[in-house]
Coordinates of all heavy atoms in Angstrom, one line a residue:
E109 N -1.0 -23.7 9.8 CA -0.9 -22.3 10.3 C -1.4 -21.3 9.2 O -0.9 -21.5 8.1 CB 0.5 -21.9 10.8 CG 1.0 -22.8 11.9 CD 2.4 -22.3 12.5 OE1 2.8 -21.2 12.0 OE2 3.0 -23.0 13.3
I110 N -2.2 -20.4 9.6 CA -2.6 -19.3 8.6 C -2.7 -18.0 9.4 O -3.2 -17.9 10.5 CB -4.0 -19.7 8.0 CG1 -4.3 -18.8 6.9 CG2 -5.1 -19.7 9.0 CD1 -3.5 -19.0 5.6
Q111 N -2.1 -17.0 8.8 CA -2.2 -15.7 9.3 C -3.3 -14.9 8.6 O -3.5 -15.0 7.4 CB -0.8 -14.9 9.2 CG -0.7 -13.7 10.0 CD 0.7 -13.0 9.8 OE1 1.1 -12.6 8.8 NE2 1.4 -13.0 10.9
F112 N -4.0 -14.1 9.4 CA -5.1 -13.3 8.8 C -5.2 -12.0 9.6 O -4.7 -11.8 10.7 CB -6.5 -14.1 8.9 CG -6.9 -14.4 10.3 CD1 -7.7 -13.6 11.0 CD2 -6.5 -15.6 10.9 CE1 -8.1 -13.9 12.3 CE2 -6.9 -16.0 12.1 CZ -7.7 -15.2 12.9
E113 N -5.8 -11.0 8.9 CA -5.9 -9.7 9.4 C -7.3 -9.3 9.7 O -8.3 -9.6 9.0 CB -5.3 -8.7 8.4 CG -5.2 -7.3 8.9 CD -4.5 -6.3 7.9 OE1 -3.9 -6.8 6.9 OE2 -4.4 -5.1 8.2
I114 N -7.5 -8.5 10.8 CA -8.8 -8.0 11.2 C -8.8 -6.5 11.2 O -7.9 -5.8 11.7 CB -9.1 -8.5 12.6 CG1 -9.3 -10.0 12.7 CG2 -10.4 -7.8 13.1 CD1 -10.4 -10.5 11.9
N115 N -9.8 -5.9 10.6 CA -10.1 -4.4 10.6 C -11.5 -4.3 10.9 O -12.4 -4.5 10.1 CB -9.7 -3.8 9.3 CG -9.9 -2.3 9.3 OD1 -10.4 -1.7 10.3 ND2 -9.4 -1.6 8.3
N116 N -11.8 -3.8 12.1 CA -13.2 -3.8 12.6 C -14.0 -2.6 11.9 O -15.3 -2.7 11.9 CB -13.3 -3.6 14.1 CG -13.2 -4.9 14.8 OD1 -14.1 -5.6 15.0 ND2 -11.9 -5.2 15.2
K117 N -13.3 -1.7 11.3 CA -14.0 -0.5 10.7 C -14.6 -0.9 9.3 O -13.9 -1.4 8.5 CB -13.1 0.6 10.5 CG -13.8 1.9 10.0 CD -12.8 3.1 9.9 CE -13.5 4.3 9.4 NZ -12.5 5.5 9.4
P118 N -15.9 -0.8 9.1 CA -16.5 -1.1 7.8 C -16.0 -0.2 6.7 O -16.3 1.0 6.8 CB -18.0 -1.0 8.0 CG -18.2 -1.0 9.5 CD -17.0 -0.4 10.1
T119 N -15.3 -0.7 5.7 CA -14.8 0.1 4.6 C -14.9 -0.8 3.3 O -15.0 -2.0 3.4 CB -13.4 0.5 4.7 OG1 -12.5 -0.6 4.7 CG2 -13.2 1.3 6.0
I120 N -14.8 -0.1 2.2 CA -14.7 -0.8 0.9 C -13.8 -0.1 0.0 O -13.7 1.2 0.0 CB -16.1 -0.9 0.2 CG1 -16.0 -1.7 -1.1 CG2 -16.8 0.4 0.0 CD1 -17.3 -2.0 -1.8
T121 N -12.9 -0.8 -0.7 CA -12.0 -0.2 -1.6 C -12.8 0.1 -2.9 O -13.9 -0.4 -3.1 CB -10.9 -1.1 -2.0 OG1 -11.4 -2.3 -2.6 CG2 -10.0 -1.5 -0.8
N122 N -12.2 1.0 -3.8 CA -12.8 1.2 -5.1 C -12.9 -0.1 -5.8 O -11.9 -0.9 -5.7 CB -12.0 2.2 -5.9 CG -12.4 3.6 -5.5 OD1 -13.6 4.0 -5.5 ND2 -11.4 4.5 -5.3
L123 N -14.0 -0.3 -6.5 CA -14.2 -1.5 -7.2 C -13.6 -1.5 -8.6 O -13.7 -0.5 -9.4 CB -15.7 -1.8 -7.3 CG -16.3 -3.0 -8.0 CD1 -17.5 -3.5 -7.3 CD2 -16.7 -2.7 -9.5
L124 N -12.9 -2.6 -8.9 CA -12.2 -2.7 -10.3 C -12.9 -3.8 -11.0 O -13.4 -4.8 -10.4 CB -10.7 -3.0 -10.1 CG -9.9 -2.0 -9.4 CD1 -8.5 -2.5 -9.1 CD2 -9.8 -0.7 -10.2
N125 N -12.9 -3.7 -12.3 CA -13.4 -4.9 -13.1 C -12.2 -5.5 -13.8 O -11.2 -4.8 -14.2 CB -14.4 -4.5 -14.1 CG -13.9 -3.6 -15.3 OD1 -13.4 -2.5 -15.0 ND2 -14.0 -4.1 -16.5
Y126 N -12.2 -6.8 -13.9 CA -11.1 -7.6 -14.6 C -11.7 -8.7 -15.4 O -12.6 -9.4 -15.0 CB -10.2 -8.2 -13.5 CG -9.1 -9.0 -14.0 CD1 -7.9 -8.4 -14.5 CD2 -9.2 -10.4 -14.2 CE1 -6.9 -9.2 -15.0 CE2 -8.2 -11.2 -14.7 CZ -7.1 -10.5 -15.1 OH -6.1 -11.3 -15.7
P127 N -11.3 -8.9 -16.7 CA -10.3 -8.0 -17.3 C -10.9 -6.7 -17.8 O -12.1 -6.6 -17.9 CB -9.9 -8.8 -18.5 CG -11.0 -9.7 -18.9 CD -11.7 -10.0 -17.5
N128 N -10.0 -5.7 -18.1 CA -10.4 -4.4 -18.6 C -9.3 -3.9 -19.4 O -8.2 -3.6 -18.9 CB -10.7 -3.5 -17.4 CG -11.3 -2.2 -17.8 OD1 -11.9 -2.0 -18.9 ND2 -11.2 -1.2 -16.9
P129 N -9.6 -3.7 -20.8 CA -10.8 -3.9 -21.5 C -11.2 -5.4 -21.6 O -10.4 -6.3 -21.3 CB -10.4 -3.4 -22.9 CG -9.2 -2.6 -22.8 CD -8.5 -3.2 -21.6
F130 N -12.5 -5.7 -22.0 CA -13.0 -7.0 -22.1 C -13.8 -7.1 -23.4 O -14.3 -6.1 -23.9 CB -13.8 -7.5 -20.9 CG -15.1 -6.8 -20.7 CD1 -16.3 -7.4 -21.2 CD2 -15.2 -5.6 -20.1 CE1 -17.5 -6.8 -21.0 CE2 -16.5 -5.0 -19.9 CZ -17.6 -5.6 -20.4
S131 N -14.0 -8.4 -23.8 CA -14.8 -8.6 -25.0 C -16.0 -9.4 -24.8 O -17.1 -9.1 -25.3 CB -13.9 -9.3 -26.1 OG -13.5 -10.5 -25.7
T132 N -15.9 -10.4 -23.9 CA -17.1 -11.3 -23.7 C -17.6 -11.2 -22.3 O -18.8 -11.2 -22.1 CB -16.7 -12.8 -23.9 OG1 -15.6 -13.1 -23.1 CG2 -16.3 -13.0 -25.4
S133 N -16.8 -11.0 -21.3 CA -17.3 -10.9 -19.9 C -16.2 -10.4 -19.0 O -15.0 -10.4 -19.3 CB -17.7 -12.3 -19.3 OG -16.6 -13.2 -19.3
T134 N -16.6 -9.8 -17.8 CA -15.7 -9.3 -16.8 C -16.2 -9.5 -15.4 O -17.4 -9.7 -15.2 CB -15.5 -7.8 -17.1 OG1 -14.4 -7.3 -16.3 CG2 -16.8 -7.0 -16.8
R135 N -15.3 -9.6 -14.5 CA -15.7 -9.8 -13.1 C -15.3 -8.5 -12.3 O -14.6 -7.7 -12.8 CB -15.0 -11.0 -12.4 CG -15.3 -12.4 -13.1 CD -14.5 -13.5 -12.5 NE -14.7 -14.7 -13.1 CZ -15.6 -15.7 -12.7 NH1 -16.2 -15.4 -11.5 NH2 -15.8 -16.8 -13.3
F136 N -15.8 -8.5 -11.0 CA -15.5 -7.3 -10.2 C -14.7 -7.7 -9.0 O -14.9 -8.7 -8.3 CB -16.9 -6.7 -9.8 CG -17.7 -6.2 -11.0 CD1 -18.7 -7.0 -11.5 CD2 -17.4 -5.0 -11.6 CE1 -19.4 -6.6 -12.6 CE2 -18.1 -4.6 -12.7 CZ -19.1 -5.4 -13.2
V137 N -13.7 -6.8 -8.7 CA -12.7 -7.1 -7.7 C -12.7 -5.9 -6.7 O -12.7 -4.8 -7.1 CB -11.3 -7.2 -8.3 CG1 -10.3 -7.6 -7.2 CG2 -11.3 -8.3 -9.4
F138 N -12.8 -6.3 -5.4 CA -12.8 -5.2 -4.3 C -12.5 -5.9 -3.0 O -12.5 -7.1 -2.9 CB -14.2 -4.6 -4.3 CG -15.3 -5.5 -4.1 CD1 -15.8 -5.8 -2.8 CD2 -15.9 -6.2 -5.1 CE1 -16.8 -6.7 -2.6 CE2 -16.9 -7.1 -5.0 CZ -17.4 -7.3 -3.7
T139 N -12.3 -5.1 -2.0 CA -12.0 -5.6 -0.6 C -12.9 -4.9 0.4 O -13.1 -3.7 0.4 CB -10.5 -5.3 -0.2 OG1 -9.6 -5.9 -1.1 CG2 -10.2 -5.7 1.2
L140 N -13.5 -5.7 1.2 CA -14.4 -5.3 2.3 C -13.7 -5.5 3.7 O -13.0 -6.5 3.9 CB -15.7 -6.0 2.3 CG -16.7 -5.8 1.2 CD1 -17.8 -6.8 1.2 CD2 -17.3 -4.4 1.3
T141 N -13.9 -4.6 4.6 CA -13.4 -4.8 6.0 C -14.6 -4.6 6.9 O -15.7 -4.2 6.5 CB -12.3 -3.8 6.4 OG1 -12.9 -2.4 6.4 CG2 -11.2 -3.8 5.4
G142 N -14.4 -5.0 8.2 CA -15.5 -4.9 9.2 C -15.9 -6.3 9.6 O -15.1 -7.3 9.6
S143 N -17.1 -6.4 10.0 CA -17.6 -7.7 10.5 C -18.9 -8.2 9.7 O -19.3 -9.4 9.9 CB -18.0 -7.7 12.0 OG -18.9 -6.7 12.3
E144 N -19.5 -7.3 8.9 CA -20.7 -7.7 8.2 C -20.6 -7.2 6.7 O -20.0 -6.2 6.4 CB -21.9 -7.0 8.8 CG -22.2 -7.4 10.2 CD -23.4 -6.7 10.8 OE1 -24.5 -6.9 10.3 OE2 -23.2 -5.8 11.7
V145 N -21.2 -8.0 5.8 CA -21.3 -7.7 4.4 C -22.4 -6.7 4.3 O -23.5 -6.8 4.9 CB -21.5 -8.9 3.6 CG1 -21.7 -8.5 2.1 CG2 -20.3 -9.9 3.7
P146 N -22.2 -5.6 3.5 CA -23.3 -4.6 3.3 C -24.6 -5.2 2.8 O -24.5 -6.1 1.9 CB -22.7 -3.6 2.3 CG -21.3 -3.8 2.3 CD -21.0 -5.3 2.7
E147 N -25.7 -4.8 3.3 CA -27.0 -5.3 2.8 C -27.3 -4.7 1.5 O -28.1 -5.3 0.7 CB -28.1 -5.1 3.8 CG -28.5 -3.6 4.0 CD -27.8 -3.0 5.2 OE1 -26.8 -3.5 5.7 OE2 -28.3 -1.9 5.7
V148 N -26.8 -3.5 1.2 CA -27.0 -2.9 -0.1 C -25.7 -2.9 -0.8 O -24.7 -2.4 -0.3 CB -27.6 -1.5 0.0 CG1 -27.6 -0.8 -1.4 CG2 -29.0 -1.5 0.6
F149 N -25.6 -3.5 -2.0 CA -24.4 -3.5 -2.8 C -24.8 -3.5 -4.3 O -25.2 -4.5 -4.8 CB -23.5 -4.8 -2.5 CG -22.1 -4.7 -2.9 CD1 -21.1 -4.6 -2.0 CD2 -21.8 -4.7 -4.3 CE1 -19.8 -4.5 -2.4 CE2 -20.4 -4.6 -4.7 CZ -19.4 -4.5 -3.7

């Protein structure tokens, strides 16, 4: 069993980088809603 959430409205949260501060490398963390991934990102 797995519960999941649907939000049909396309939105994106503010993008965070982790870790921050960083010395060698960092990744980017964010959440998308809707049904399609943006073609421009």
Side-chain angles (χ1 to χ4, degrees):
E109 296 187 8
I110 191 74
Q111 191 176 64
F112 59 93
E113 185 175 354
I114 296 295
N115 181 352
N116 279 274
K117 185 177 181 179
T119 66
I120 182 173
T121 60
N122 276 314
L123 179 142
L124 300 170
N125 70 296
Y126 178 83
N128 188 18
F130 72 96
S131 59
T132 57
S133 64
T134 189
R135 295 174 185 266
F136 298 96
V137 182
F138 56 93
T139 298
L140 289 169
T141 66
S143 60
E144 298 178 68
V145 174
E147 67 266 17
V148 175
F149 197 108

